[in-house]
Amino acid sequence: MKKTALLILLSFILSCSSNENPDIYSGEISALQTEEDLKAYWQKLHDLDQITYLKETKGHLQGDSISISNMIRTALMFEIHGPEVYTPDNVVPILNFAHNYYGKSNIAFWPIIQACKKTGGVIESFGGKFPAYPLEALSLTFYDFSLFQQDERYDGLLAKLNNKTYDKVSTTLFELQGEQRRLSQLEVKDVIGKWHIERMKNIEEKGFFEIVKMSDNTLYIKRKHRLQRLVSVKTSDNTEHYKIEDEPFGWTYILNNGNLSLVGDQGSTLIDYNIYK
């Protein structure tokens, strides 16, 4: 009986996600009046992440949509009820952040992470000492690059995020949800190059990623089904310098005669990728 009731509840939440109307979320969150109401809603969001999203969702487009919808709801909890709605034992915002794979959404959500850090609690130690876990999630989402055991980078990267100006989180996330769905409609027009996945220097992993020109005549990095728009920042001889649109750390991809490198903001080479054949 409990399982059936839970599935009905999650189905209702999922159907709301498909309506793409944040006013639905605003209405239901504004209606929460008591501490018990708020606690129950946080539990719904936890179940939506852990059950519907991670265990029951099939297909990347639906999964990404649910992920961003989760983040919108969490942002609205803060925006409507204030930062006191968050308690030190609450893992939901951290799960939202770590389980999202659309980089711009993580950037937009960073003020929520800042608010959680200000309250303290579980965020200080979840997945390692803060900011290891959220920075790792962000670096993997944008660059597919691991910051594992690179603590010396943390302060500089964290400063870049904390010094950035952010628009209203829920509104930005809603706009990005629409952008993500538009990207999913594009088709590959040309493959510029293909390289082995390498999240840590000199350690190749199974699979590949690509730089592609899509049907909107724009270049993207393509990792499986997800696209990130590339912005040209410099051209010299046969060398192109690209950044991912709205990337957080100032890192650059350098493409020269089919060879690709990821370069840090201080000019050091993070990865020289091997061509995938």
Side-chain angles (χ1 to χ4, degrees):
M1 181 65 71
K2 289 184 178 180
K3 183 177 180 181
T4 301
L6 178 59
L7 291 175
I8 292 172
L9 174 62
L10 294 177
S11 296
F12 170 75
I13 294 174
L14 181 56
S15 68
C16 289
S17 300
S18 65
N19 290 332
E20 300 185 22
N21 188 346
D23 290 340
I24 294 175
Y25 310 145
S26 296
E28 64 184 30
I29 291 170
S30 295
L32 304 174
Q33 298 296 320
T34 68
E35 184 175 336
E36 289 73 20
D37 291 340
L38 296 171
K39 185 176 180 180
Y41 197 83
W42 281 123
Q43 185 61 49
K44 291 177 187 178
L45 296 183
H46 183 273
D47 292 342
L48 185 59
D49 176 272
Q50 295 291 293
I51 300 173
T52 299
Y53 175 50
L54 293 184
K55 296 180 180 180
E56 298 179 353
T57 299
K58 306 297 181 183
H60 69 272
L61 182 58
Q62 185 187 50
D64 288 348
S65 180
I66 292 173
S67 174
I68 299 175
S69 294
N70 290 351
M71 300 172 90
I72 292 172
R73 289 183 175 94
T74 292
L76 285 169
M77 287 286 277
F78 281 82
E79 291 166 6
I80 292 171
H81 294 287
E84 59 272 17
V85 77
Y86 178 78
T87 56
D89 61 343
N90 189 343
V91 298
V92 171
I94 306 168
L95 297 178
N96 289 162
F97 192 84
H99 293 162
N100 170 67
Y101 299 103
Y102 189 50
K104 290 184 181 182
S105 297
N106 271 353
I107 295 295
F109 196 74
W110 190 256
I112 304 300
I113 297 298
Q114 289 175 316
C116 294
K117 176 62 169 67
K118 188 174 182 179
T119 297
V122 67
I123 194 169
E124 299 285 1
S125 58
F126 194 97
K129 185 179 178 181
F130 185 89
Y133 191 70
L135 285 182
E136 175 79 351
L138 193 59
S139 183
L140 287 172
T141 299
F142 265 98
Y143 316 100
D144 209 19
F145 178 85
S146 176
L147 290 167
F148 180 66
Q149 292 186 337
Q150 298 191 51
D151 303 37
E152 71 280 0
R153 298 185 186 274
Y154 291 174
D155 287 346
L157 300 180
L158 191 61
K160 290 177 183 292
L161 293 166
N162 289 342
N163 292 333
K164 179 179 168 57
T165 300
Y166 298 90
D167 295 325
K168 187 176 180 180
V169 178
S170 61
T171 302
T172 304
L173 288 171
F174 177 64
E175 294 170 352
L176 291 174
Q177 190 175 49
E179 177 183 291
Q180 186 270 342
R181 290 179 179 177
R182 287 192 295 274
L183 288 178
S184 72
Q185 303 302 311
L186 298 177
E187 297 181 353
V188 176
K189 187 175 180 180
D190 189 23
V191 177
I192 307 303
K194 185 182 295 188
W195 298 270
H196 285 273
I197 294 171
E198 195 171 323
R199 296 186 176 96
M200 303 180 76
K201 196 169 186 177
N202 298 323
I203 302 177
E204 283 188 5
E205 301 192 24
K206 184 178 180 180
F208 63 87
F209 68 99
E210 303 167 288
I211 291 181
V212 296
K213 179 180 284 188
M214 299 300 290
S215 50
D216 62 350
N217 291 317
T218 300
L219 290 183
Y220 295 86
I221 277 193
K222 182 175 183 287
R223 294 187 174 93
K224 295 184 178 179
H225 53 270
R226 293 186 176 91
L227 297 170
Q228 293 176 294
R229 184 173 181 265
L230 289 174
V231 178
S232 178
V233 294
K234 181 181 177 181
T235 301
S236 58
D237 299 326
N238 294 320
T239 304
E240 295 282 350
H241 298 247
Y242 297 104
K243 286 187 178 180
I244 295 174
E245 185 178 55
D246 295 332
E247 57 84 32
F249 298 154
W251 296 355
T252 306
Y253 287 97
I254 298 179
L255 178 62
N256 177 266
N257 292 322
N259 298 308
L260 185 71
S261 299
L262 177 63
V263 176
D265 60 314
Q266 301 300 317
S268 60
T269 299
L270 303 176
I271 301 285
D272 286 318
Y273 297 101
N274 293 321
I275 295 172
Y276 187 91
K277 297 179 181 179

